[in-house]
């Protein structure tokens, strides 16, 4: 069941585009930790998330897991390999129970070609991700670990945050190690940055949980 208020790529589709997508795809379910798409795999399918959230990762040359981002309901994953035919540059794994529409890559390309509006949605999506990658590249070059952690907590709050009194609780179940991989920092440096922010009263942390108390302070530190 696709909620009418669905966000992301899926939420931009016109009714006829969505109906055609449903006809070409099948609904799959995944448990937390399950691998939806494997790194270096030849692209054979594209997925549109309906429920649940996933992380996109790659393995660095020294064997560490680098987190490239997180995707949620309405988001598209696996589209690059379907477009250019090259092996996947990253893996996609469920961080909570996930439901996704899975469409074969040939059907995905045919669907895009038959609906000009879908092609425009896809171009906007890829442009947004390119701009986001450029911002993070500049940030990694210019910001220290505290600044990078602050930026990621802001992004998590904006995408996955829910009000908790005067604070914002981040609903994505994220470990400190995953946060470190996303920040491009060691776990030790990330833990130290979180300790600094807790000491200043900006955040609280728990097991796979973050609560932001002072968003203005995070924004100022991330700038």
């Amino acid at each position: 069941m696709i909620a009418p208020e669905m966000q992301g790529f899926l939420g931009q589709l016109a009714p006829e585009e969505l109906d055609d997508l449903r006809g070409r795809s099948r609904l799959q379910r995944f448990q937390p930790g399950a691998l939806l798409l494997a790194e270096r795999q030849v692209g054979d399918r594209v997925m549109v998330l309906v429920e649940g959230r996933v992380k996109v990762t790659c393995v660095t040359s020294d064997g560490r897991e680098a987190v490239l981002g997180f995707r949620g309901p309405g988001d598209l994953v696996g589209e690059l390999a379907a477009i250019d035919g090259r092996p996947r540059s990253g893996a996609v794994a469920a961080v909570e129970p996930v439901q996704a529409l899975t469409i074969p890559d040939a059907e995905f390309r045919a669907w895009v070609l038959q609906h000009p509006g879908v092609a425009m949605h896809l171009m906007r999506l890829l442009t947004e991700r390119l701009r986001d990658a450029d911002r993070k590249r500049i940030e990694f070059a210019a910001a220290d670990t505290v600044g990078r952690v602050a930026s990621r907590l802001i992004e998590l709050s904006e995408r996955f945050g829910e009000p908790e009194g005067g604070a914002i609780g981040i609903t994505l179940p994220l470990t400190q190690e995953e946060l470190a991989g996303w920040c491009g920092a060691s776990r030790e440096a990330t833990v130290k940055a979180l300790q600094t922010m807790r000491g200043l009263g900006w955040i609280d942390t728990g097991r796979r949980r973050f609560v932001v108390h002072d968003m203005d302070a995070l924004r100022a530190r991330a700038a």
Side-chain angles (χ1 to χ4, degrees):
M1 181 68 176
I2 298 175
E5 69 277 7
M6 184 65 68
Q7 302 297 312
F9 177 82
L10 200 59
Q12 299 178 47
L13 300 180
E16 62 273 14
E17 296 165 347
L18 183 56
D19 288 343
D20 193 10
L21 173 64
R22 285 196 188 100
R24 296 172 185 266
S25 61
R26 62 191 177 96
L27 186 66
Q28 288 188 283
R29 293 175 171 82
F30 302 89
Q31 294 303 309
L35 187 67
L36 281 69
L37 301 171
E39 185 177 359
R40 301 189 181 91
Q41 176 188 57
V42 175
D44 62 348
R45 61 193 182 277
V46 178
M47 293 182 170
V48 186
L49 304 179
V50 178
E51 291 184 10
R53 291 167 289 193
V54 301
K55 64 177 179 178
V56 184
T57 65
C58 68
V59 178
T60 64
S61 58
D62 60 358
R64 293 185 299 110
E65 180 184 84
V67 178
L68 304 179
F70 295 89
R71 305 284 184 258
D75 284 335
L76 187 68
V77 294
E79 73 287 345
L80 290 182
I83 292 171
D84 65 14
R86 299 176 62 184
R88 301 193 190 284
S89 56
V92 178
V95 298
E96 56 191 7
V98 166
Q99 293 187 35
L101 293 173
T102 299
I103 178 171
D105 59 341
E107 287 289 332
F108 175 76
R109 291 191 293 269
W111 177 62
V112 172
L113 289 172
Q114 290 177 20
H115 297 281
V118 172
M120 288 302 300
H121 298 327
L122 184 59
M123 287 174 60
R124 281 194 291 268
L125 170 67
L126 296 178
T127 300
E128 288 172 4
R129 290 184 181 174
L130 178 60
R131 290 182 184 276
D132 181 64
D134 285 344
R135 283 194 298 269
K136 286 185 171 64
R137 205 174 292 118
I138 294 169
E139 175 188 295
F140 289 167
D144 61 5
T145 302
V146 174
R148 278 180 268 167
V149 172
S151 292
R152 298 291 74 75
L153 291 175
I154 292 168
E155 182 174 345
L156 288 168
S157 298
E158 292 174 344
R159 294 185 60 199
F160 307 121
E162 292 186 355
E164 292 188 5
I168 299 174
I170 295 171
T171 62
L172 183 72
L174 181 71
T175 67
Q176 293 182 355
E177 188 170 357
E178 288 170 333
L179 179 61
W182 197 18
C183 293
S186 68
R187 185 180 185 280
E188 292 73 18
T190 301
V191 169
K192 185 176 180 180
L194 292 171
Q195 289 173 341
T196 297
M197 294 180 187
R198 281 200 306 269
L200 293 168
W202 299 352
I203 65 169
D204 277 329
T205 63
R207 186 176 182 276
R208 300 176 69 90
R209 177 169 170 76
F210 301 88
V211 178
V212 175
H213 293 284
D214 194 337
M215 182 65 73
D216 289 340
L218 291 183
R219 293 189 191 281
R221 188 59 178 83

